[in-house]
Amino acid sequence: MKPLREFDIAFVGLKPGEHSFQYVIGESFFDNFEEPRDFSNCAVSVTLTMDKKSNFFLLKFAIGGKVTVTCDRCGEPVELQLWDDFNQIVKLVDNPEEMANGEEDPDVSYISKTESHLNVANWIYEFIHLSIPMQRIHPDNADGKSGCNPKVIEMLEQMNQQAKENDNPIWKGLDKFKDN
């Protein structure tokens, strides 16, 4: 990953209390990461609220915006609205590697007391991915019908009908157990 300096927070000079940071995330942000992504046209805003305490920080990431993904049902592009909140605790310790190895909670991170900057780019990357729903389908139209490509829906219904017609009789006896 290339260093993303605009996501560094110089926390040493900040007074205790809440501080707010705004980030606008576009396509170029993801060029800094090696993992492939399954969305495009990213237009996301991240509001980070950092509550600085003496030996730790409470970070709250508010994710909002939109991305384009491929519909799981019809294979056409669909634009999804993102909105989600994530919390992260960052503790200042003498031995961050040792503490991190013993920590099982992914919402707690450790940095050295000698650090002066906190880079939040990895968390933003992760939280944007976590904001995208697992099931990605077109929402229904106002008339209650699927927003997917009608030709694809028709083809899927035909294939489903053919599958029902070609059911193997060996499985017919199992139908009576369905409702139990």
Side-chain angles (χ1 to χ4, degrees):
M1 181 183 116
K2 299 177 190 172
L4 297 165
R5 294 189 47 92
E6 63 264 29
F7 297 96
D8 280 345
I9 299 174
F11 59 83
V12 173
L14 296 177
K15 293 181 181 180
E18 284 195 3
H19 305 275
S20 186
F21 304 90
Q22 286 285 128
Y23 301 101
V24 177
I25 308 298
E27 291 289 309
S28 62
F29 173 78
F30 296 96
D31 295 340
N32 297 291
F33 297 88
E34 293 179 9
E35 291 87 14
R37 59 191 159 103
D38 56 353
F39 59 87
S40 61
N41 301 329
C42 179
V44 174
S45 65
V46 178
T47 301
L48 169 60
T49 304
M50 175 181 181
D51 190 2
K52 182 180 178 187
K53 307 292 185 186
S54 60
N55 286 327
F56 66 96
F57 311 123
L58 298 172
L59 305 177
K60 181 176 182 178
F61 294 84
I63 309 290
K66 59 186 178 179
V67 295
T68 302
V69 296
T70 302
C71 178
D72 292 337
R73 186 183 299 147
C74 69
E76 299 283 328
V78 60
E79 186 175 277
L80 294 179
Q81 293 293 325
L82 303 181
W83 67 93
D84 220 333
D85 292 327
F86 298 93
N87 296 314
Q88 187 72 32
I89 298 172
V90 179
K91 294 183 179 181
L92 298 166
V93 295
D94 290 324
N95 49 356
E97 293 84 17
E98 186 178 313
M99 295 294 289
N101 289 338
E103 183 62 50
E104 293 181 15
D105 188 358
D107 296 337
V108 178
S109 298
Y110 298 94
I111 62 171
S112 175
K113 287 183 177 181
T114 60
E115 291 287 330
S116 62
H117 290 75
L118 177 66
N119 190 292
V120 295
N122 284 332
W123 286 314
I124 291 173
Y125 175 84
E126 179 180 338
F127 295 151
I128 289 173
H129 278 82
L130 290 173
S131 297
I132 299 172
M134 291 293 288
Q135 187 176 24
R136 304 160 183 188
I137 58 172
H138 284 93
D140 290 343
N141 294 331
D143 60 359
K145 292 185 179 181
S146 173
C148 289
N149 183 337
K151 292 179 182 177
V152 174
I153 296 299
E154 183 180 324
M155 192 175 357
L156 288 172
E157 288 172 359
Q158 288 175 356
M159 291 171 61
N160 194 19
Q161 186 63 32
Q162 288 174 353
K164 285 181 182 178
E165 292 170 1
N166 296 335
D167 274 350
N168 190 336
I170 197 169
W171 304 112
K172 290 287 185 197
L174 294 175
D175 287 341
K176 62 184 174 186
F177 295 111
K178 232 186 229 184
D179 298 327
N180 291 337

